[in-house]
């Protein structure tokens, strides 16, 4: 059953990313509709500094990220939804956890709203052409295994 659902989720592209301008941790603008990974899949993971499940999820992925990159070539964009007055806490959190992700800031929640994100953590996977093929919200220990299974399906059809 899970494999059938996985096949359906991967085989059914929902949409492309909307065009919203965010900033990276250096303050450079990044247009979300241009996020890509050279034809390989990528993950967009919404988090906040105050969200404990988000931090657990990103920590769990960080432990296996090098292996994932080697196997699937995946790239992760971690999108902070911290409000403007809290964005100064994002870089210290990322640095203290040694997260090797591309981190973007969505202080007004424009990207989050455009995608209809209701709760975090919220993860979506895009295929090599930028189509959203998988969405998931919430986090339980071990849920990162499901993400890897989707990535494997995308890179080893």
């Amino acid at each position: 059953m899970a494999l059938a659902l996985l096949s359906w989720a991967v085989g059914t592209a929902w949409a492309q990313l909307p065009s919203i301008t965010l900033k990276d941790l250096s303050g450079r603008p990044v247009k979300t509709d241009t996020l890509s990974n050279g034809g390989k899949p990528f993950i967009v993971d919404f988090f906040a500094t105050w969200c404990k499940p988000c931090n657990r999820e990103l920590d769990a992925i960080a432990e296996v990220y090098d292996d994932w990159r080697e196997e699937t070539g995946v790239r992760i964009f971690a999108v902070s939804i911290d409000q403007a007055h809290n964005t100064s806490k994002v870089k210290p959190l990322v640095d203290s956890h040694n997260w090797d992700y591309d981190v973007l800031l969505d202080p007004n929640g424009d990207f989050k709203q455009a995608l209809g994100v209701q709760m975090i953590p919220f993860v979506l996977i895009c295929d090599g052409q930028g189509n959203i093929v998988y969405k998931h919200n919430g986090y339980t220990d071990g849920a990162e295994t499901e993400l890897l299974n989707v990535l494997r399906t995308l890179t080893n059809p």
Side-chain angles (χ1 to χ4, degrees):
M1 174 73 173
L3 195 52
L5 180 60
L6 181 64
S7 297
W8 174 84
V10 172
T12 306
W14 287 322
Q16 295 263 321
L17 293 173
S19 180
I20 306 291
T21 301
L22 304 179
K23 291 191 176 174
D24 67 14
L25 290 178
S26 299
R28 290 185 297 265
V30 176
K31 297 219 14 134
T32 57
D33 61 340
T34 66
L35 296 180
S36 68
N37 187 24
K40 296 180 181 167
F42 61 93
I43 292 174
V44 178
D45 194 331
F46 288 86
F47 78 102
T49 56
W50 46 264
C51 173
K52 299 297 183 213
C54 300
N55 296 336
R56 283 198 329 268
E57 177 179 63
L58 289 169
D59 281 341
I61 293 171
E63 291 177 15
V64 294
Y65 190 34
D66 286 338
D67 294 334
W68 286 16
R69 286 192 283 201
E70 186 176 319
E71 181 179 345
T72 68
V74 71
R75 180 177 181 185
I76 297 178
F77 296 93
V79 180
S80 166
I81 64 162
D82 285 270
Q83 295 180 344
H85 64 277
N86 281 335
T87 57
S88 63
K89 296 177 182 179
V90 176
K91 185 170 175 13
L93 176 79
V94 168
D95 291 347
S96 72
H97 287 262
N98 294 314
W99 293 339
D100 188 22
Y101 309 130
D102 294 275
V103 179
L104 304 174
L105 305 174
D106 186 19
N108 298 322
D110 296 334
F111 191 37
K112 178 184 89 156
Q113 284 183 320
L115 287 165
V117 175
Q118 299 295 315
M119 67 177 278
I120 55 170
F122 182 86
V123 174
L124 57 86
I125 298 177
C126 293
D127 65 14
Q129 291 70 50
N131 298 307
I132 300 168
V133 297
Y134 175 86
K135 297 179 183 182
H136 182 78
N137 63 352
Y139 176 72
T140 55
D141 291 337
E144 61 279 0
T145 302
E146 184 176 334
L147 298 178
L148 180 57
N149 288 336
V150 173
L151 293 169
R152 284 177 172 153
T153 303
L154 290 170
T155 56
N156 303 309

